[in-house]
mmCIF file with all atom_site columns, all heavy atoms in Angstrom:
data_model
loop_
_atom_site.group_PDB
_atom_site.id
_atom_site.type_symbol
_atom_site.label_atom_id
_atom_site.label_alt_id
_atom_site.label_comp_id
_atom_site.label_asym_id
_atom_site.label_entity_id
_atom_site.label_seq_id
_atom_site.pdbx_PDB_ins_code
_atom_site.Cartn_x
_atom_site.Cartn_y
_atom_site.Cartn_z
_atom_site.occupancy
_atom_site.B_iso_or_equiv
_atom_site.pdbx_formal_charge
_atom_site.auth_seq_id
_atom_site.auth_comp_id
_atom_site.auth_asym_id
_atom_site.auth_atom_id
_atom_site.pdbx_PDB_model_num
ATOM 1  N N   . GLY E 1 6   ? 1.239  15.241  -30.767 1.00 63.00 ? 1267 GLY E N   1
ATOM 2  C CA  . GLY E 1 6   ? -0.060 14.700  -30.433 1.00 63.00 ? 1267 GLY E CA  1
ATOM 3  C C   . GLY E 1 6   ? -0.143 13.189  -30.546 1.00 63.00 ? 1267 GLY E C   1
ATOM 4  O O   . GLY E 1 6   ? -1.238 12.628  -30.660 1.00 63.00 ? 1267 GLY E O   1
ATOM 5  N N   . ASN E 1 20  ? 20.307 -17.680 -22.230 1.00 91.00 ? 1281 ASN E N   1
ATOM 6  C CA  . ASN E 1 20  ? 21.392 -16.737 -21.936 1.00 91.00 ? 1281 ASN E CA  1
ATOM 7  C C   . ASN E 1 20  ? 20.909 -15.295 -21.864 1.00 91.00 ? 1281 ASN E C   1
ATOM 8  O O   . ASN E 1 20  ? 21.671 -14.365 -22.124 1.00 91.00 ? 1281 ASN E O   1
ATOM 9  C CB  . ASN E 1 20  ? 22.518 -16.874 -22.959 1.00 91.00 ? 1281 ASN E CB  1
ATOM 10 C CG  . ASN E 1 20  ? 23.053 -18.276 -23.018 1.00 91.00 ? 1281 ASN E CG  1
ATOM 11 O OD1 . ASN E 1 20  ? 23.460 -18.840 -22.010 1.00 91.00 ? 1281 ASN E OD1 1
ATOM 12 N ND2 . ASN E 1 20  ? 22.992 -18.881 -24.200 1.00 91.00 ? 1281 ASN E ND2 1
ATOM 13 N N   . ILE E 1 22  ? 19.658 -11.724 -20.295 1.00 89.00 ? 1283 ILE E N   1
ATOM 14 C CA  . ILE E 1 22  ? 19.928 -10.861 -19.149 1.00 89.00 ? 1283 ILE E CA  1
ATOM 15 C C   . ILE E 1 22  ? 18.689 -9.994  -18.975 1.00 89.00 ? 1283 ILE E C   1
ATOM 16 O O   . ILE E 1 22  ? 18.365 -9.182  -19.845 1.00 89.00 ? 1283 ILE E O   1
ATOM 17 C CB  . ILE E 1 22  ? 21.186 -10.014 -19.354 1.00 89.00 ? 1283 ILE E CB  1
ATOM 18 C CG1 . ILE E 1 22  ? 22.414 -10.916 -19.508 1.00 89.00 ? 1283 ILE E CG1 1
ATOM 19 C CG2 . ILE E 1 22  ? 21.359 -9.039  -18.182 1.00 89.00 ? 1283 ILE E CG2 1
ATOM 20 C CD1 . ILE E 1 22  ? 23.692 -10.185 -19.824 1.00 89.00 ? 1283 ILE E CD1 1
ATOM 21 N N   . SER E 1 60  ? 15.726 -8.130  -4.937  1.00 93.00 ? 1321 SER E N   1
ATOM 22 C CA  . SER E 1 60  ? 15.768 -7.186  -3.820  1.00 93.00 ? 1321 SER E CA  1
ATOM 23 C C   . SER E 1 60  ? 14.491 -6.369  -3.741  1.00 93.00 ? 1321 SER E C   1
ATOM 24 O O   . SER E 1 60  ? 14.285 -5.635  -2.789  1.00 93.00 ? 1321 SER E O   1
ATOM 25 C CB  . SER E 1 60  ? 16.991 -6.268  -3.924  1.00 93.00 ? 1321 SER E CB  1
ATOM 26 O OG  . SER E 1 60  ? 16.946 -5.530  -5.126  1.00 93.00 ? 1321 SER E OG  1
ATOM 27 N N   . ALA E 1 62  ? 10.124 -6.113  -3.828  1.00 95.00 ? 1323 ALA E N   1
ATOM 28 C CA  . ALA E 1 62  ? 9.086  -6.695  -2.970  1.00 95.00 ? 1323 ALA E CA  1
ATOM 29 C C   . ALA E 1 62  ? 7.913  -7.199  -3.811  1.00 95.00 ? 1323 ALA E C   1
ATOM 30 O O   . ALA E 1 62  ? 7.649  -6.694  -4.903  1.00 95.00 ? 1323 ALA E O   1
ATOM 31 C CB  . ALA E 1 62  ? 8.598  -5.657  -1.969  1.00 95.00 ? 1323 ALA E CB  1
ATOM 32 N N   . ASP E 1 70  ? 15.713 -26.109 -12.832 1.00 97.00 ? 1331 ASP E N   1
ATOM 33 C CA  . ASP E 1 70  ? 16.686 -26.870 -12.052 1.00 97.00 ? 1331 ASP E CA  1
ATOM 34 C C   . ASP E 1 70  ? 18.057 -26.189 -12.081 1.00 97.00 ? 1331 ASP E C   1
ATOM 35 O O   . ASP E 1 70  ? 18.373 -25.442 -13.006 1.00 97.00 ? 1331 ASP E O   1
ATOM 36 C CB  . ASP E 1 70  ? 16.827 -28.284 -12.623 1.00 97.00 ? 1331 ASP E CB  1
ATOM 37 C CG  . ASP E 1 70  ? 15.537 -29.085 -12.529 1.00 97.00 ? 1331 ASP E CG  1
ATOM 38 O OD1 . ASP E 1 70  ? 14.666 -28.737 -11.705 1.00 97.00 ? 1331 ASP E OD1 1
ATOM 39 O OD2 . ASP E 1 70  ? 15.407 -30.073 -13.281 1.00 97.00 ? 1331 ASP E OD2 1
ATOM 40 N N   . VAL E 1 74  ? 19.045 -18.591 -6.519  1.00 95.00 ? 1335 VAL E N   1
ATOM 41 C CA  . VAL E 1 74  ? 18.163 -17.468 -6.205  1.00 95.00 ? 1335 VAL E CA  1
ATOM 42 C C   . VAL E 1 74  ? 18.654 -16.811 -4.924  1.00 95.00 ? 1335 VAL E C   1
ATOM 43 O O   . VAL E 1 74  ? 18.821 -17.479 -3.896  1.00 95.00 ? 1335 VAL E O   1
ATOM 44 C CB  . VAL E 1 74  ? 16.698 -17.918 -6.023  1.00 95.00 ? 1335 VAL E CB  1
ATOM 45 C CG1 . VAL E 1 74  ? 15.820 -16.726 -5.644  1.00 95.00 ? 1335 VAL E CG1 1
ATOM 46 C CG2 . VAL E 1 74  ? 16.179 -18.609 -7.279  1.00 95.00 ? 1335 VAL E CG2 1
ATOM 47 N N   . GLY E 1 86  ? 13.564 -25.116 -9.091  1.00 96.00 ? 1347 GLY E N   1
ATOM 48 C CA  . GLY E 1 86  ? 13.582 -26.535 -9.401  1.00 96.00 ? 1347 GLY E CA  1
ATOM 49 C C   . GLY E 1 86  ? 14.577 -27.316 -8.558  1.00 96.00 ? 1347 GLY E C   1
ATOM 50 O O   . GLY E 1 86  ? 15.092 -26.834 -7.543  1.00 96.00 ? 1347 GLY E O   1
ATOM 51 N N   . ALA E 1 104 ? 14.105 -31.232 -5.136  1.00 97.00 ? 1365 ALA E N   1
ATOM 52 C CA  . ALA E 1 104 ? 15.043 -32.105 -4.434  1.00 97.00 ? 1365 ALA E CA  1
ATOM 53 C C   . ALA E 1 104 ? 16.468 -31.556 -4.491  1.00 97.00 ? 1365 ALA E C   1
ATOM 54 O O   . ALA E 1 104 ? 16.837 -30.825 -5.406  1.00 97.00 ? 1365 ALA E O   1
ATOM 55 C CB  . ALA E 1 104 ? 15.000 -33.502 -5.054  1.00 97.00 ? 1365 ALA E CB  1
#
Side-chain angles (χ1 to χ4, degrees):
N1281 303 305
I1283 298 175
S1321 60
D1331 297 339
V1335 178

